[in-house]
Amino acid sequence: MNAADSAGLLLSGIEVAGTLAFALSGFIEATRKRMDIVGVAAVTFFAAFGGGTLRDLLLDHRPFFWVRHSGYVWIVLAMVVVGSVWLRAVHLSPSARPMLWADALGLGLFSASGSGMAWEIGQPAIVCALMGVVTGVFGGVMRDLLCNEVPAIFRDHRPYAVCSFAGAWAFLGVAQWAGPDWRALAAGIVVTAGLRLAALAFDWRVPGRRDAGS
C-alpha cells in the first residue's frame, strides 16, 4: 500500500468515527427532547451527515460521501433502532453531558478530516481551514435547528467554531512540515477536541454583546 492509499484509508477511518460521534450527539439530543422514532432518526441522520454533505457540495465531490459508502447509513440506522430499544428497556433518560462529549469528539474528527480532504485536492490553506470548520460545525447546527434550539455555535459563547478553526490550522501546520499523515490528523483532532472540552470544563467564553446597564 502506497502513501496515498494509506492517507486515504486513514481519512476514511476518521470520517467514519466522526460520523458516529455526531450521530451519537444527535441521537442523545433528540432523545432528550422526547421525540418519536422518526424524529430521533431525522436528527441523528442530519447530525451525522450534515457537515460532510456540505463539504462535498462545496468541494464538488460527487456522489456525496454517504452515498459512496452506503454502509454509513445502515450503521447510523442501526444506532437509532438499537439505542431506542435499549433506552426504552432500561428506562434511561440521557443527560446533556454525554451529548457535549460526543459533539466535541465529532468536531475534532470532522475538522481534521475536512481539512485533510481539501488538502488532498490541492486547495489553498485558507480554504482547507474553512472546509474543516464547515465539516465540523454544520452537523451540530442542523441538530440544534431540528431540536428547535438556536445553534450552540451562536448562543452559548463558549468557543466552538474557534476551536475547529484552530484545529484546522494545527493540521495544516503539521501537514506542511511532515505531510498530511496521521501526525497532522492527530494534531487537528487533539487541538480541536481538546480546546472544546477545555472550554466546557472551564467555562471559557468568547466576547459577546453586553446590554446597557449590565
Side-chain angles (χ1 to χ4, degrees), residues 55-61 114-132 169 171-172 175-176:
R55 174 204 64 214
D56 287 351
L57 186 64
L58 293 173
L59 293 177
D60 199 25
H61 281 180
S115 300
M117 289 178 184
W119 175 283
E120 274 197 332
I121 61 174
Q123 294 296 325
I126 187 61
V127 174
C128 294
L130 291 176
M131 286 303 102
W169 282 106
F171 164 84
L172 291 167
Q176 189 68 43

Side-chain angles (χ1 to χ4, degrees), residues 28-167:
I28 293 171
E29 188 65 7
T31 302
R32 292 182 65 245
K33 295 291 184 179
R34 300 187 178 279
M35 294 185 180
D36 62 20
I37 189 67
V38 175
V40 171
V43 174
T44 303
F45 274 82
F46 272 96
F49 301 129
T53 299
L54 182 57
R55 174 204 64 214
D56 287 351
L57 186 64
L58 293 173
L59 293 177
D60 199 25
H61 281 180
R62 297 292 191 281
F64 297 142
F65 78 105
W66 54 271
V67 178
R68 292 195 308 271
H69 307 288
S70 60
Y72 294 3
V73 179
W74 287 108
I75 292 170
V76 173
L77 181 60
M79 175 187 291
V80 171
V81 174
V82 174
S84 297
V85 171
W86 181 74
L87 288 176
R88 182 179 293 272
V90 299
H91 305 289
L92 180 66
S93 297
S95 66
R97 183 171 295 180
M99 187 279 289
L100 293 172
W101 292 342
D103 181 75
L105 178 59
L107 182 68
L109 290 162
F110 266 170
S111 297
S113 70
S115 300
M117 289 178 184
W119 175 283
E120 274 197 332
I121 61 174
Q123 294 296 325
I126 187 61
V127 174
C128 294
L130 291 176
M131 286 303 102
V133 175
V134 164
T135 311
V137 307
F138 193 67
V141 169
M142 294 301 297
R143 178 198 64 224
D144 292 346
L145 287 174
L146 288 172
C147 289
N148 200 29
E149 298 278 358
V150 176
I153 184 177
F154 303 131
R155 65 177 159 80
D156 76 354
H157 301 297
R158 289 175 293 192
Y160 192 81
V162 172
C163 300
S164 177
F165 196 60

